[in-house]
Amino acid sequence: MQPAVIAIHGGAGTITRAAMDAAREREYIEALQHVLQAGQRILAEGGSALDAVTEAVRLLEECPLFNAGKGAVLTHAGTYELDAAVMDGATLAAGAVACVTRLRNPVLAARAVLDHSEHVLFAGAGAEAFAQSQGLELVGPDYYFTQARHDQWQRALGNAGMALLDHDGAALVAQGKTQASDPIDPDSKFGTVGAVACDGRGNLAAATSTGGVTNKQVGRVGDTPVIGAGCYADDVAAVSATGTGEMFIRTVAAHDVAAQMRYAGLSLEESARRVVMEKLPAINGRGGLIAVDRAGNVTLPFNTEGMYRGFARVGEAVNVSIYG
Ligand code: ASP
């Protein structure tokens, strides 16, 4: 038996202690612990890495604290457009949906694409029709609404229409730094969610889901549903990313973690470090990723102030952290 493990993230960005009160911090920590315990249980019962990451991301989508499913950020037009992907490292099977507006759980639609379609990536209305044909739940736009994301969007609109990362926006609001006259750092906030796992058979899987970046242009697709950019799994590593999506696409970030291990013989930790601390910053890419390999090693690097993150090995206590 392999040492089964699951890791999750709830986005990276300007997450500082100063911008967080104790009650809010508790909420995040408890949410992450709850999701990790659910994933840990699936692995402990002999479930697959693919099932564990799908369920972990579904639970993160259900939680309004994170920018995926309920609690997603708004586009420039005040609408919601969600992206998700899932990949099975054992078979290289993958499924993804982009720009969906009516799916309660985009990750379940991505999983249905993986399981039941000859295609890999569906977008927009076609993705929703496919999900509906698979019996998945459709919701109205009100389902995704949270006052916090709405306020962030309003502030972003008042700041020269910049797009911003979810947790950066939250930090600026908390610091009172988002008056209309203040520039918002467009690179400072990401709230995507993701999970990676290695199961008892040594199989790997990854899943990622997001509402994207606050105030994004309608039709913009980030790295999350792009296989190899924001989500990737093979028999070497499973990776889920969060951050400035355009840079993760340009560096093919998630795939690069596995590729450097396969072709250059790097360890999981060193490979992920080079991507997050060297290759992404070289083009102003901000964010982080979570990764596991088939020996059960875990790494959770980020180049922002914080990243909601944690991991849980079967039979061991759950580990959760927020700050650097
Ligand atoms: N990577 C996501 C995107 O660009 C945003 C995030 O991680 O919060 O859509």
Side-chain angles (χ1 to χ4, degrees), residues 6 13 26 49 81 97 99 108 129 138 169 204 208 212 235 258 262 274:
I6 182 164
R26 211 49 257 150
E81 295 185 348
V97 294
C99 267
L108 295 184
L138 298 187
L204 305 173
T208 314
D235 59 355
R262 186 184 298 279
R274 288 193 194 180

Side-chain angles (χ1 to χ4, degrees), residues 9-12 67 83 164-167 189-193 208-213 216 220-225 230 241-246 248 286-287:
H9 69 79
N67 167 24
D83 304 327
L164 72 155
L165 287 169
D166 180 41
H167 298 310
K189 165 167 169 89
F190 319 87
T192 293
V193 306
T208 314
S209 179
T210 191
V213 288
K216 66 184 179 180
R220 176 266 191 189
V221 176
D223 58 315
T224 299
T242 176
T244 43
E246 283 70 11
F248 284 72
R286 296 187 64 241

